[in-house]
Amino acid sequence: MQHRPDPLPPSGAPAPRVRLDPGDPLGLVDLAVGYLASRAAEPDGPGAARLPSDPGVPVLAHTVASLGGPPEAGRAAADAVAAWTRSAGRGPGHPGLYDGGLAGTLVGLRLGATLHPRLHPVADRLRDRLVAAAVTGGGRRQGVRLTDYDLVLGPAGVLLAHCAGTSPEPDHLLPYRARLAGLCDSEDLWRLRTDGYAGHPHLAWLQGRVNTGMAHGAAGVAAALTAAVRHTGPAAGDALRRAATWLEAQAYEDERGLPAWPGAGLDGEAPPRGAVARQAWCYGAPGVAWALWDAADALGDAGAASRAADVFTRLADRYDEGFHLGGDGPADVLGLCHGAAGVLAVADAFARHAGHAGAARLRERLAALLQERLPKALAAPSGWSAELLTGAPGALAALLTAAHGASRAWLPCLGLR
């Protein structure tokens, strides 16, 4: 199911004005504007997204434009969206939110329409096609693959994409809600046990097990069901409780005394030994603790919310940037999925919605780290990709949102708000 919007000319409709923040002595808003200008001028140049439908550029353009300010910055944001529309819709054509999926195109169109309003009806048409495909499509009820349920490729992410940049109509979420709730119809979440990965070079460890993470596991399913409860009512509440209860039971304490989650459910085995380095949005306590807190908040379960907040308190107090941020490049160290930007976005959500003092302190630390390292990463000659989850646009958008008060409309892409 390919979908390609009509091209937009540069600087089509008058763009919102971008105010360069006087409290931004390091010029990070200028940095984001310069980045957008470079993407508009050379959308397929060094650092381009691997797949052109990725919503990273329009997410960042919307985030920058939401700040208000001088016309040149607004023009850079509008031009970047216009350049993105010329190739949006090309790619694999699967329905997912990431890896070139159509739900990612929907996010880009919806947020890009804040700069080019003529994209709204294009986004509406793509939304309707996605919903129609979800209504008529089936899906495995056992022996699932990641595409059958997860946030990156599956219906959890597609449901959340419908929530980005708009308040969705309940009917648009119902087929995804039904699919995810049906997979969480038992206390042990056995329907989320994966199959088809025996002998896989990267995923053999997941064969026959239930993934716990936000990107590919039960935490992402819980985040999507939480959004469904908020937007469609309590019908998915029992499924959400089962997912959250199972997920909470998988927690253990690592060698550093920090709360941790294994990559997949323990299945009665002893927890892994050693200290856990990957404490990120995708796996580990940051993403999982948020999924548990937000689920409890949506369900009105004060006890579960308190336990999840306590997990994040312990993590925030002892989070070690030198140990927990590792990898070979800016995608791992600074990006949303594995790196500082993702933990920053989670800490910001906890601070804003849970009134969490420890999260506010961690937010300040990670914002300072990103402010120091982002300019250097963007200046690297190798070119950091323009993808939302692993690339520069996501890291810039997270910092502008958490530290500069930019729009939060894109945060459902991470299961946040």
Side-chain angles (χ1 to χ4, degrees), residues 59-60 63 334-336 340-346 348 363 367 370 374 388 392-406 408 410-411 414:
V59 164
L60 179 59
T63 305
L334 305 180
L336 286 172
V343 183
L344 170 65
V346 173
D348 179 52
R363 176 177 61 186
L370 283 165
L374 272 173
L388 182 64
L396 286 164
L399 184 55
L400 291 172
T401 298
H404 294 270
R408 308 181 71 81
W410 66 280
L411 290 172
L414 301 176

Short mmCIF file of all heavy atoms in Angstrom, two decimals, residues 59-60 63 334-336 340-346 348 363 367 370 374 388 392-406 408 410-411 414:
data_model
loop_
_atom_site.label_atom_id
_atom_site.label_comp_id
_atom_site.label_asym_id
_atom_site.label_seq_id
_atom_site.Cartn_x
_atom_site.Cartn_y
_atom_site.Cartn_z
N VAL A 59 8.93 16.00 12.09
CA VAL A 59 8.78 16.12 13.54
C VAL A 59 9.64 17.27 14.05
O VAL A 59 9.18 18.12 14.83
CB VAL A 59 9.16 14.81 14.24
CG1 VAL A 59 9.41 15.03 15.73
CG2 VAL A 59 8.07 13.76 14.06
N LEU A 60 10.90 17.32 13.62
CA LEU A 60 11.77 18.41 14.07
C LEU A 60 11.28 19.76 13.55
O LEU A 60 11.30 20.75 14.29
CB LEU A 60 13.20 18.16 13.62
CG LEU A 60 14.21 19.24 14.02
CD1 LEU A 60 14.27 19.42 15.54
CD2 LEU A 60 15.60 18.92 13.46
N THR A 63 8.47 20.87 15.66
CA THR A 63 8.95 21.21 17.00
C THR A 63 9.58 22.60 17.01
O THR A 63 9.31 23.42 17.89
CB THR A 63 9.94 20.14 17.48
OG1 THR A 63 9.32 18.86 17.41
CG2 THR A 63 10.36 20.39 18.91
N LEU A 334 23.51 9.33 21.88
CA LEU A 334 22.66 10.52 21.97
C LEU A 334 21.23 10.30 21.49
O LEU A 334 20.36 11.12 21.80
CB LEU A 334 23.29 11.66 21.15
CG LEU A 334 24.73 12.04 21.48
CD1 LEU A 334 25.20 13.17 20.57
CD2 LEU A 334 24.87 12.44 22.94
N GLY A 335 20.96 9.26 20.73
CA GLY A 335 19.66 9.10 20.08
C GLY A 335 18.53 8.76 21.02
O GLY A 335 18.71 8.53 22.22
N LEU A 336 17.32 8.72 20.45
CA LEU A 336 16.13 8.42 21.23
C LEU A 336 16.06 6.96 21.65
O LEU A 336 15.68 6.64 22.77
CB LEU A 336 14.87 8.76 20.42
CG LEU A 336 14.51 10.23 20.25
CD1 LEU A 336 13.37 10.38 19.25
CD2 LEU A 336 14.13 10.86 21.59
N ALA A 340 20.87 9.13 25.19
CA ALA A 340 20.51 10.16 26.16
C ALA A 340 19.19 10.84 25.84
O ALA A 340 18.43 11.21 26.74
CB ALA A 340 21.63 11.21 26.24
N ALA A 341 18.89 11.05 24.55
CA ALA A 341 17.66 11.76 24.19
C ALA A 341 16.42 10.99 24.62
O ALA A 341 15.43 11.58 25.07
CB ALA A 341 17.63 12.03 22.69
N GLY A 342 16.45 9.67 24.48
CA GLY A 342 15.31 8.87 24.91
C GLY A 342 15.09 8.91 26.41
O GLY A 342 13.96 9.05 26.89
N VAL A 343 16.18 8.80 27.18
CA VAL A 343 16.06 8.88 28.64
C VAL A 343 15.62 10.28 29.05
O VAL A 343 14.82 10.46 29.98
CB VAL A 343 17.38 8.47 29.31
CG1 VAL A 343 17.23 8.49 30.84
CG2 VAL A 343 17.81 7.08 28.85
N LEU A 344 16.13 11.30 28.35
CA LEU A 344 15.69 12.68 28.61
C LEU A 344 14.19 12.82 28.40
O LEU A 344 13.48 13.41 29.23
CB LEU A 344 16.43 13.64 27.69
CG LEU A 344 15.93 15.09 27.66
CD1 LEU A 344 16.14 15.77 29.01
CD2 LEU A 344 16.62 15.87 26.55
N ALA A 345 13.68 12.28 27.29
CA ALA A 345 12.25 12.39 27.00
C ALA A 345 11.41 11.70 28.08
O ALA A 345 10.36 12.20 28.49
CB ALA A 345 11.95 11.82 25.62
N VAL A 346 11.87 10.54 28.55
CA VAL A 346 11.16 9.83 29.62
C VAL A 346 11.21 10.62 30.92
O VAL A 346 10.20 10.78 31.61
CB VAL A 346 11.73 8.42 29.81
CG1 VAL A 346 11.09 7.75 31.02
CG2 VAL A 346 11.50 7.56 28.57
N ASP A 348 11.57 13.78 31.29
CA ASP A 348 10.71 14.95 31.13
C ASP A 348 9.25 14.60 31.32
O ASP A 348 8.49 15.33 31.96
CB ASP A 348 10.96 15.56 29.75
CG ASP A 348 10.09 16.77 29.49
OD1 ASP A 348 10.09 17.69 30.33
OD2 ASP A 348 9.41 16.79 28.45
N ARG A 363 16.57 15.07 34.12
CA ARG A 363 16.32 15.85 32.90
C ARG A 363 17.36 16.95 32.73
O ARG A 363 17.89 17.16 31.63
CB ARG A 363 14.91 16.45 32.96
CG ARG A 363 14.56 17.36 31.80
CD ARG A 363 13.13 17.86 31.91
NE ARG A 363 12.92 18.64 33.13
CZ ARG A 363 11.73 19.09 33.53
NH1 ARG A 363 10.65 18.80 32.82
NH2 ARG A 363 11.62 19.79 34.64
N ALA A 367 19.93 17.04 29.64
CA ALA A 367 19.85 18.20 28.75
C ALA A 367 21.21 18.86 28.62
O ALA A 367 21.63 19.25 27.52
CB ALA A 367 18.82 19.19 29.28
N LEU A 370 23.40 16.71 26.30
CA LEU A 370 23.03 16.87 24.89
C LEU A 370 23.43 18.24 24.37
O LEU A 370 23.88 18.37 23.22
CB LEU A 370 21.53 16.63 24.71
CG LEU A 370 21.10 15.16 24.73
CD1 LEU A 370 19.60 15.06 24.92
CD2 LEU A 370 21.52 14.45 23.46
N LEU A 374 25.64 17.60 21.12
CA LEU A 374 24.93 17.64 19.84
C LEU A 374 25.66 18.45 18.78
O LEU A 374 25.77 18.00 17.63
CB LEU A 374 23.51 18.17 20.05
CG LEU A 374 22.45 17.12 20.39
CD1 LEU A 374 21.12 17.80 20.72
CD2 LEU A 374 22.26 16.16 19.23
N LEU A 388 14.06 9.59 12.98
CA LEU A 388 13.57 10.06 14.27
C LEU A 388 14.12 9.23 15.42
O LEU A 388 14.64 9.77 16.40
CB LEU A 388 12.03 10.02 14.29
CG LEU A 388 11.38 10.52 15.58
CD1 LEU A 388 11.69 12.00 15.80
CD2 LEU A 388 9.88 10.28 15.56
N ALA A 392 19.57 12.44 14.28
CA ALA A 392 19.68 13.78 14.82
C ALA A 392 18.34 14.46 15.06
O ALA A 392 18.17 15.15 16.07
CB ALA A 392 20.55 14.63 13.90
N PRO A 393 17.33 14.33 14.17
CA PRO A 393 16.06 15.02 14.43
C PRO A 393 15.42 14.63 15.76
O PRO A 393 14.88 15.49 16.47
CB PRO A 393 15.18 14.61 13.25
CG PRO A 393 16.14 14.33 12.15
CD PRO A 393 17.32 13.68 12.84
N GLY A 394 15.47 13.34 16.11
CA GLY A 394 14.89 12.92 17.38
C GLY A 394 15.60 13.50 18.58
O GLY A 394 14.96 13.92 19.55
N ALA A 395 16.93 13.51 18.53
CA ALA A 395 17.69 14.07 19.66
C ALA A 395 17.43 15.57 19.80
O ALA A 395 17.24 16.08 20.91
CB ALA A 395 19.18 13.80 19.45
N LEU A 396 17.41 16.29 18.67
CA LEU A 396 17.13 17.73 18.72
C LEU A 396 15.71 18.00 19.21
O LEU A 396 15.48 18.89 20.03
CB LEU A 396 17.34 18.34 17.34
CG LEU A 396 18.80 18.50 16.89
CD1 LEU A 396 18.87 18.74 15.39
CD2 LEU A 396 19.48 19.65 17.65
N ALA A 397 14.74 17.23 18.71
CA ALA A 397 13.34 17.44 19.12
C ALA A 397 13.17 17.17 20.61
O ALA A 397 12.45 17.90 21.31
CB ALA A 397 12.41 16.55 18.30
N ALA A 398 13.81 16.12 21.12
CA ALA A 398 13.70 15.80 22.55
C ALA A 398 14.27 16.93 23.39
O ALA A 398 13.67 17.33 24.41
CB ALA A 398 14.43 14.49 22.85
N LEU A 399 15.41 17.48 23.00
CA LEU A 399 16.01 18.55 23.77
C LEU A 399 15.19 19.83 23.69
O LEU A 399 14.97 20.51 24.71
CB LEU A 399 17.44 18.81 23.28
CG LEU A 399 18.25 19.85 24.04
CD1 LEU A 399 18.31 19.52 25.53
CD2 LEU A 399 19.66 19.95 23.48
N LEU A 400 14.69 20.16 22.52
CA LEU A 400 13.86 21.36 22.38
C LEU A 400 12.56 21.23 23.18
O LEU A 400 12.07 22.21 23.75
CB LEU A 400 13.56 21.64 20.91
CG LEU A 400 14.76 22.07 20.06
CD1 LEU A 400 14.37 22.13 18.59
CD2 LEU A 400 15.30 23.42 20.52
N THR A 401 12.01 20.03 23.23
CA THR A 401 10.76 19.82 23.97
C THR A 401 11.00 19.86 25.47
O THR A 401 10.27 20.54 26.20
CB THR A 401 10.14 18.48 23.56
OG1 THR A 401 9.83 18.51 22.16
CG2 THR A 401 8.87 18.20 24.35
N ALA A 402 12.03 19.17 25.94
CA ALA A 402 12.26 19.06 27.38
C ALA A 402 12.85 20.34 27.96
O ALA A 402 12.50 20.74 29.08
CB ALA A 402 13.19 17.89 27.67
N ALA A 403 13.77 20.98 27.24
CA ALA A 403 14.51 22.11 27.80
C ALA A 403 14.01 23.46 27.33
O ALA A 403 14.31 24.48 27.97
CB ALA A 403 16.00 21.97 27.47
N HIS A 404 13.24 23.50 26.25
CA HIS A 404 12.82 24.79 25.69
C HIS A 404 11.30 24.92 25.56
O HIS A 404 10.81 25.92 25.06
CB HIS A 404 13.47 25.00 24.32
CG HIS A 404 14.97 25.16 24.41
ND1 HIS A 404 15.59 26.36 24.57
CD2 HIS A 404 15.96 24.22 24.39
CE1 HIS A 404 16.90 26.19 24.62
NE2 HIS A 404 17.14 24.90 24.54
N GLY A 405 10.56 23.91 26.00
CA GLY A 405 9.11 24.01 26.00
C GLY A 405 8.46 23.92 24.63
O GLY A 405 7.35 24.42 24.43
N ALA A 406 9.12 23.27 23.67
CA ALA A 406 8.53 23.11 22.34
C ALA A 406 7.36 22.13 22.39
O ALA A 406 7.11 21.46 23.40
CB ALA A 406 9.59 22.64 21.35
N ARG A 408 4.74 19.19 22.30
CA ARG A 408 4.79 17.79 22.73
C ARG A 408 3.96 16.89 21.82
O ARG A 408 3.79 15.70 22.11
CB ARG A 408 4.30 17.68 24.17
CG ARG A 408 4.98 18.62 25.14
CD ARG A 408 4.48 18.45 26.57
NE ARG A 408 4.92 17.20 27.16
CZ ARG A 408 6.12 17.01 27.71
NH1 ARG A 408 7.03 17.98 27.72
NH2 ARG A 408 6.44 15.83 28.22
N TRP A 410 4.45 15.37 19.16
CA TRP A 410 5.10 14.23 18.53
C TRP A 410 5.39 13.09 19.50
O TRP A 410 5.73 11.97 19.08
CB TRP A 410 6.42 14.69 17.90
CG TRP A 410 7.45 15.15 18.90
CD1 TRP A 410 7.52 16.36 19.52
CD2 TRP A 410 8.56 14.39 19.40
NE1 TRP A 410 8.60 16.41 20.37
CE2 TRP A 410 9.26 15.21 20.31
CE3 TRP A 410 9.04 13.09 19.15
CZ2 TRP A 410 10.39 14.79 20.99
CZ3 TRP A 410 10.18 12.66 19.83
CH2 TRP A 410 10.84 13.52 20.73
N LEU A 411 5.26 13.31 20.80
CA LEU A 411 5.69 12.34 21.79
C LEU A 411 4.95 11.00 21.78
O LEU A 411 5.52 9.99 22.21
CB LEU A 411 5.63 12.95 23.19
CG LEU A 411 6.67 14.04 23.46
CD1 LEU A 411 6.42 14.72 24.80
CD2 LEU A 411 8.09 13.47 23.41
N LEU A 414 6.77 7.86 20.83
CA LEU A 414 7.58 7.13 21.81
C LEU A 414 6.73 6.50 22.90
O LEU A 414 7.27 5.97 23.88
CB LEU A 414 8.59 8.09 22.46
CG LEU A 414 9.58 8.79 21.53
CD1 LEU A 414 10.45 9.76 22.32
CD2 LEU A 414 10.44 7.78 20.78
#
